[in-house]
Amino acid sequence: MLGAIVYLIRGAGVGFVLAREGGLSFIDPTELPPHLRFALKLGRMLERPGLGAGAGPLQRALTRLGPSYVKFGQFLATRPDIVGMNAALDLEKLQDRVPPFPQEQAIRVVEAAFGKPVRELFLSFSEPVAAASIAQVHKAHILDANGVERVLAVKIMRPGVRERFQRDLQVMRFMARVVHALSPKAERLRPRDVVEILARSVMMEMDFRLEAAAMSELAQNTKDDADFRVPKPEWELTARDVLSSEWIEGIRLNDRAAIVAAGHDPKALGLAVIQSFLRQAIRDGFFHADMHPGNLFVDASGTLVAVDFGIMGRLGIMERRFLAEILLGFILRDYKRVAQVHFEAGYVPAHHSVEDFAQAIRAIGEPIHQRRADEISMAKVLTLLFDITALFDMSTRTELVMLQKTMVVVEGVSRSLDPQLDMWTGAEPVVRSWIARNLGPLGRIEGAGRAALTLSDVVTDLPDLAQRLRRILVRLDESGTGDRKALESIARKERRRALWSTAALWAIAVGALVMAFR
């Protein structure tokens, strides 16, 4: 009970800051039940006047709330299905920049990680060159085993950041439960799952050994790609709180003038961004999910180089097939096939009609083909797609939404280099190559081989499975009465939780009003 009160007070503070900075303006009241429309109206009364200038409202609010909420906002920027496309675009500009922590603290973190003085680890170790909410980066020099001097980027964890994130995460979990209790329709968007995915993502991001592993895996996947590369991690100088990797000298992709001045071809780079991302997603099933211009460079040879591997996406073979067939269906204007793929994957409930869904998909695809490449906005396409998914009761697939949002970012980066870029034409060779390899004769033979191995494993396990099933049935038969009582107890607890969550939202609204008029 005491914990719930603490989370309620903290949640009220979060709601107040969101309201004051205009963060509630993105919520569409027509989608809310009457009691939430009234709560939203009360919240909008708290907005400060003159919020139109400068940063967007969500940027301002989350920056005020602190590093954990900045990270949460960056994660929500990949989930336009939850916050809406306009809010996602606002959050996309959220800057994760904070003042660096002192050099002495950074040195203590490094020395604690490796048990040696910094002077024994590096020839030189610079002041911080960049700082964010979770870590900051230093430039260092080492001598390798051959006596050759090399330059490293050394990323160091900000002291105390894990503890603060855990505290803020409890408030986020509480607020997700409140949203679920007050708006059952929101369960389609899985707000509680979103918070848990954020928790796993950030906790993995806070272990730099895992980021180094992601860097290494992506480097291995793309080692034969002529137009894309990944810096190499320095494993001997990497620990949970320290990540050392190759220093990248290059031009950021948001500096088009410098790219042209250096003699690089912006159009070729724009195409490389699109095709590199699609190769990662479709061919490898493992993609960089934070490909904004600050994380992409072009080196002296004209090769695209990615950095910062804290946010990665992963797709299984079925999701990759789903993506490839949908992209090819849009390219060929085969909307019925696009619809059938959704039904085959189980993404659209069976009570809907394939033909009706194909008609809705046509509403997305035809405007694409009737406009010039530079007139097509993937952001608008995805907004319409999310509207259609709601209309056809499609449950959110987190990995696909992250992929879709990354496509919007990638498209924006590519268009900044080549405003006339046709994303669909650029995508077609990658998509066709994957389909020919995986859905053609060779792919079908390999698929049949995998299926045969799976079937043989199942047959081998049948006796053990039968014994387990028999034991379970016996236990169920013996404890039928106890199970009913347990289910009734769970139902009572859920009703009490819903009641408390309803009271919590109203307490947040009233508390915010009281604080506003002090």
Side-chain angles (χ1 to χ4, degrees):
M1 178 63 71
L2 182 60
I5 293 172
V6 171
Y7 300 147
L8 178 60
I9 293 171
R10 290 179 179 172
V14 172
F16 176 71
V17 172
L18 283 171
R20 286 292 285 169
E21 298 299 334
L24 304 181
S25 61
F26 289 102
I27 300 176
D28 182 2
T30 62
E31 298 292 326
L32 300 176
H35 64 289
L36 291 184
R37 281 202 297 270
F38 181 68
L40 177 63
K41 187 175 181 179
L42 289 178
R44 295 295 303 274
M45 291 170 60
L46 304 179
E47 287 182 12
R48 291 190 295 110
L51 292 177
L58 287 176
Q59 295 177 56
R60 286 191 301 267
L62 296 177
T63 301
R64 272 190 60 185
L65 288 168
S68 301
Y69 290 92
V70 168
K71 186 57 63 178
F72 189 44
Q74 291 176 324
F75 176 75
L76 285 179
T78 69
R79 298 299 306 271
D81 58 316
I82 294 174
V83 297
M85 186 56 66
N86 290 334
L89 293 175
D90 180 27
L91 291 170
E92 190 180 292
K93 303 181 185 72
L94 192 63
Q95 298 297 311
D96 189 11
R97 295 197 185 104
V98 296
F101 55 89
Q103 177 84 343
E104 295 75 21
Q105 287 188 22
I107 289 174
R108 283 200 296 271
V109 172
V110 173
E111 292 180 344
F114 301 110
K116 294 181 181 180
V118 165
R119 64 178 178 275
E120 293 184 16
L121 297 168
F122 305 103
L123 295 177
S124 66
F125 187 78
S126 77
E127 294 285 335
V129 296
S133 58
I134 286 182
Q136 64 187 31
V137 177
H138 300 249
K139 190 175 184 179
H141 291 75
I142 62 167
L143 283 179
D144 65 15
N146 299 318
V148 177
E149 185 173 323
R150 292 195 290 115
V151 187
L152 299 180
V154 182
K155 189 175 179 180
I156 301 174
M157 185 71 61
R158 186 174 290 272
V161 69
R162 287 189 184 88
E163 294 75 11
R164 173 157 187 180
F165 182 76
Q166 284 295 342
R167 288 196 305 269
D168 291 337
L169 185 63
Q170 295 305 319
V171 179
M172 295 177 195
R173 284 181 171 131
F174 175 78
M175 295 174 72
R177 290 198 300 269
V178 170
V179 169
H180 168 70
L182 293 181
S183 183
K185 287 185 178 180
E187 187 57 21
R188 188 184 74 87
L189 303 176
R190 301 177 181 175
R192 294 173 296 179
D193 290 350
V194 168
V195 174
E196 294 308 318
I197 291 167
L198 168 73
R200 290 194 298 273
S201 173
V202 175
M203 293 315 293
M204 288 183 68
E205 196 174 345
M206 289 182 184
D207 187 333
F208 289 154
R209 294 167 297 189
L210 299 180
E211 183 174 343
M215 185 187 306
S216 176
E217 182 177 351
L218 191 63
Q220 182 176 348
N221 290 344
T222 60
K223 66 181 185 297
D224 296 326
D225 296 347
D227 55 359
F228 180 87
R229 75 180 183 91
V230 173
K232 297 176 182 177
E234 190 72 25
W235 286 104
E236 294 299 318
L237 291 170
T238 293
R240 188 182 73 153
D241 293 338
V242 181
L243 169 60
S244 300
S245 62
E246 172 191 359
W247 179 269
I248 298 299
E249 287 289 352
I251 304 169
R252 291 186 189 272
L253 289 202
N254 55 4
D255 193 349
R256 193 178 190 278
I259 289 172
V260 173
H264 302 303
D265 182 357
K267 292 187 176 182
L269 280 173
L271 186 61
V273 172
I274 289 286
Q275 294 190 342
S276 295
F277 165 67
L278 288 174
R279 282 196 297 265
Q280 293 169 33
I282 297 176
R283 181 191 66 193
D284 307 323
F286 186 62
F287 61 94
H288 195 307
D290 196 19
M291 291 182 72
H292 63 74
N295 286 340
L296 295 172
F297 294 80
V298 54
D299 66 14
S301 67
T303 303
L304 186 66
V305 187
V307 299
D308 194 351
F309 305 90
I311 304 176
M312 305 296 292
R314 198 177 288 277
L315 299 174
I317 187 67
M318 292 305 297
E319 287 81 16
R320 288 149 65 188
R321 174 176 177 171
F322 174 76
L323 172 64
E325 291 217 51
I326 282 181
L327 286 174
L328 188 61
F330 272 116
I331 291 167
L332 300 178
R333 303 168 86 165
D334 187 353
Y335 305 118
K336 187 167 184 180
R337 180 57 192 154
V338 173
Q340 287 171 335
V341 169
H342 279 78
F343 278 81
E344 289 169 5
Y347 294 160
V348 181
H351 64 267
H352 288 291
S353 159
V354 172
E355 288 73 18
D356 288 345
F357 191 64
Q359 180 182 349
I361 292 293
R362 181 179 293 273
I364 300 173
E366 283 306 294
I368 294 173
H369 288 283
Q370 293 176 7
R371 296 179 184 174
R372 297 196 315 271
D374 57 326
E375 295 177 335
I376 300 169
S377 167
M378 280 298 293
K380 291 182 179 178
V381 170
L382 289 184
T383 299
L384 185 54
L385 181 60
F386 291 135
D387 288 343
I388 287 173
T389 62
L391 184 64
F392 284 84
D393 306 315
M394 286 178 62
S395 183
T396 298
R397 293 295 299 258
T398 304
E399 70 279 11
L400 293 178
V401 174
M402 181 178 285
L403 177 87
Q404 290 166 332
K405 185 60 176 65
T406 308
M407 285 177 68
V408 174
V409 176
V410 165
E411 181 197 35
V413 175
S414 300
R415 289 271 173 82
S416 70
L417 295 165
D418 178 11
Q420 309 302 318
L421 178 74
D422 185 341
M423 183 170 179
W424 301 104
T425 300
E428 186 171 4
V430 179
V431 175
R432 282 191 181 277
S433 172
W434 189 88
I435 286 179
R437 171 67 181 78
N438 291 274
L439 303 185
L442 181 59
R444 292 182 185 279
I445 291 171
E446 291 179 348
R450 288 193 297 269
L453 286 173
T454 302
L455 186 60
S456 67
D457 288 342
V458 172
V459 170
T460 303
D461 292 339
L462 274 177
D464 185 47
L465 289 172
Q467 288 293 333
R468 290 183 188 178
L469 180 60
R470 185 173 180 275
R471 286 195 293 269
I472 290 170
L473 290 174
V474 169
R475 288 174 187 170
L476 285 174
D477 187 54
E478 292 174 349
S479 60
T481 304
D483 286 346
R484 282 194 297 273
K485 290 180 178 178
L487 288 172
E488 289 171 0
S489 175
I490 292 170
R492 285 195 298 271
K493 288 178 181 178
E494 285 298 320
R495 284 196 295 271
R496 284 198 298 270
R497 181 180 296 173
L499 181 62
W500 273 106
S501 298
T502 302
L505 186 71
W506 283 105
I508 289 171
V510 172
L513 280 172
V514 169
M515 286 187 282
F517 292 109
R518 280 184 176 177

